[in-house]
Amino acid sequence: SSPPLGGGSRDLERQAARLGAPRASDAFTEDEHASLARVVPGYMDAVRASTSLRQAVSVEFRVQSEDAEHENARLDASLLVLSTLRRRARLLANMPTSNASSATTDGVRVQVTSSLLPAQTSPSDSRFVYAYEVEITNVGADEPVQIVSREWHIEDEDGLVESVKGTGVVGQQPTLGQGESFSYTSACVMKRIRGSMRGKYVVVGQNSKRVTEASIAPFALVPPGRASTTRVNDGDDEIIDEEDEDIEALTRDSSIKQ
């Protein structure tokens, strides 16, 4: 008999919904689509008809096998499907849902908010550009602190991670007295529509020369949709915006490139 596929598909559907994907199949890569289409003949028809992924898989593997050879082939196919479903659900489960984050380390607070840039995004070219706005504030350090370097880890929904390190931020190494902030905007480019970022800034106390790594908490890189935009402030979550924009309309708009 085939492995139980219902649990794998339900897990994937839950994770896709958590991240604002209209359908579980929207979370797959082109290679995964092709792989599933080879072993589930009705898969692409189900995708085009917006049929539940769980339903399409269940229909295929409920059919009685004709002989031992067919049974073995179906077993291999079901194992491939189950592996694909579980891998995709696991990758999505590790992604944050909010496009904003806040973290305070030794009196240095880092707040970040991200947004998709439709005018610079081209889905047909697998190019998705996200801007992120950063505010770094000395909220409690007992001395001025200087931001000397940065380190970012950018992960897409395929689990591919790119690390970026550099001196300062946007060409500067600002020094912040108590209560002072420094803000800037930057951008990153991904090949997939969803992902996340996290990282750290290295800051140095100007009197003590103490080196601190100020954490940048994980935040989502997601298109406008069902994922919430949350500004976290002093431990309280405040929902700023929860926009339910049509992702298909966004994709049409984003075909224009600068």
Side-chain angles (χ1 to χ4, degrees):
S1 61
S2 300
L5 300 174
S9 59
R10 280 192 292 270
D11 287 345
L12 179 58
E13 288 171 356
R14 281 195 294 268
Q15 294 303 331
R18 185 178 68 88
L19 295 169
R23 302 171 299 180
S25 58
D26 292 337
F28 291 129
T29 65
E30 291 302 318
D31 287 343
E32 287 171 336
H33 277 304
S35 178
L36 290 172
R38 283 194 297 271
V39 297
V40 182
Y43 172 74
M44 291 311 298
D45 289 338
V47 170
R48 284 189 286 268
S50 297
T51 302
S52 156
L53 175 63
R54 193 188 323 163
Q55 180 180 343
V57 170
S58 297
V59 167
E60 173 62 24
F61 291 103
R62 280 176 181 166
V63 177
Q64 185 68 33
S65 295
E66 302 167 356
D67 50 42
E69 182 179 355
H70 184 237
E71 175 71 16
N72 288 334
R74 282 164 50 80
L75 179 60
D76 289 342
S78 62
L79 288 171
L80 185 149
V81 172
L82 183 60
S83 174
T84 302
L85 295 177
R86 285 180 171 174
R87 175 182 178 275
R88 178 55 49 198
R90 184 175 64 254
L91 288 170
L92 295 184
N94 292 329
M95 292 180 59
T97 57
S98 174
N99 70 333
S101 74
S102 179
T104 301
T105 308
D106 291 341
V108 178
R109 185 180 66 198
V110 180
Q111 294 180 296
V112 192
T113 304
S114 69
S115 58
L116 182 69
L117 299 179
Q120 298 181 34
T121 290
S122 177
S124 61
D125 296 324
S126 297
R127 175 184 167 86
F128 301 93
V129 183
Y130 283 89
Y132 53 94
E133 300 177 12
V134 183
E135 182 179 79
I136 308 167
T137 306
N138 180 347
V139 294
D142 55 7
E143 60 180 328
V145 295
Q146 184 178 28
I147 304 162
V148 298
S149 67
R150 69 191 184 280
E151 180 176 330
W152 288 100
H153 301 287
I154 307 163
E155 182 173 1
D156 69 16
E157 57 187 342
D158 292 335
L160 299 176
V161 180
E162 178 185 2
S163 297
V164 178
K165 299 179 181 181
T167 301
V169 288
V170 291
Q172 302 181 54
Q173 292 183 309
T175 297
L176 306 176
Q178 190 166 22
E180 292 182 336
S181 298
F182 180 83
S183 301
Y184 73 96
T185 301
S186 190
C188 68
V189 181
M190 297 196 303
K191 292 184 178 180
R192 293 284 283 161
I193 194 169
R194 292 178 178 85
S196 63
M197 291 180 68
R198 58 185 172 83
K200 64 183 180 182
Y201 295 110
V202 174
V203 299
V204 178
Q206 295 304 281
N207 299 329
S208 66
K209 304 304 179 186
R210 185 179 64 174
V211 177
T212 300
E213 294 183 348
S215 296
I216 306 168
F219 59 94
L221 303 173
V222 292
R226 282 172 286 181
S228 65
T229 300
T230 308
R231 172 71 72 179
V232 185
N233 191 10
D234 295 331
D236 296 325
D237 292 356
E238 178 187 0
I239 302 297
I240 302 298
D241 183 33
E242 190 168 345
E243 188 176 22
D244 191 11
E245 183 171 335
D246 185 345
I247 294 178
E248 293 182 1
L250 172 65
T251 301
R252 288 196 299 271
D253 294 341
S254 62
S255 62
I256 303 171
K257 295 183 288 185
Q258 289 185 340

